[in-house]
Amino acid sequence: SHCVRLFKQTWGENTEENTFPCRVLRIVRDLFFSILSLQAVDTTSEHDFSHIRMEIPTPEAQKLRIGDIVSIKIEPENIMLLRK
């Protein structure tokens, strides 16, 4: 989860490179860190393999609710392309 960054909460289009909107599906809060389960907004799959898991400090997670739309950013060096 250190490769995925919560960029900012957004409600419109984001033009930043390697940044895309995700819906918050689940939040597991702990004392210091919380785990978010996210799904890209334009993904229709309900399977777990389409979910993105990330860890953020719990104070940041307190601002989020299930169903919120947030943007995440992945740096180019942390992207691995998979091909058939």
Side-chain angles (χ1 to χ4, degrees):
S1 65
H2 65 281
C3 297
V4 179
R5 300 277 182 244
L6 189 64
F7 183 60
K8 68 177 182 179
Q9 196 155 352
T10 183
W11 304 109
E13 292 295 317
N14 197 321
T15 57
E16 180 93 15
E17 186 177 34
N18 299 325
T19 303
F20 51 96
C22 291
R23 180 171 287 106
V24 178
L25 299 177
R26 186 171 182 216
I27 304 169
V28 179
R29 291 183 172 91
D30 202 357
L31 186 59
F32 298 110
F33 289 94
S34 294
I35 298 169
L36 303 180
S37 179
L38 308 170
Q39 185 174 35
V41 169
D42 46 350
T43 301
T44 57
S45 176
E46 293 297 322
H47 298 289
D48 285 345
F49 64 80
S50 68
H51 297 177
I52 299 166
R53 181 180 176 265
M54 70 179 296
E55 192 174 279
I56 63 173
T58 295
E60 287 182 40
Q62 297 296 344
K63 305 172 196 170
L64 299 174
R65 300 286 175 256
I66 303 295
D68 282 355
I69 305 296
V70 296
S71 286
I72 62 170
K73 180 173 184 167
I74 303 174
E75 295 299 332
E77 62 271 10
N78 295 321
I79 296 174
M80 181 186 350
L81 299 176
L82 302 175
R83 296 188 178 115
K84 278 188 165 185

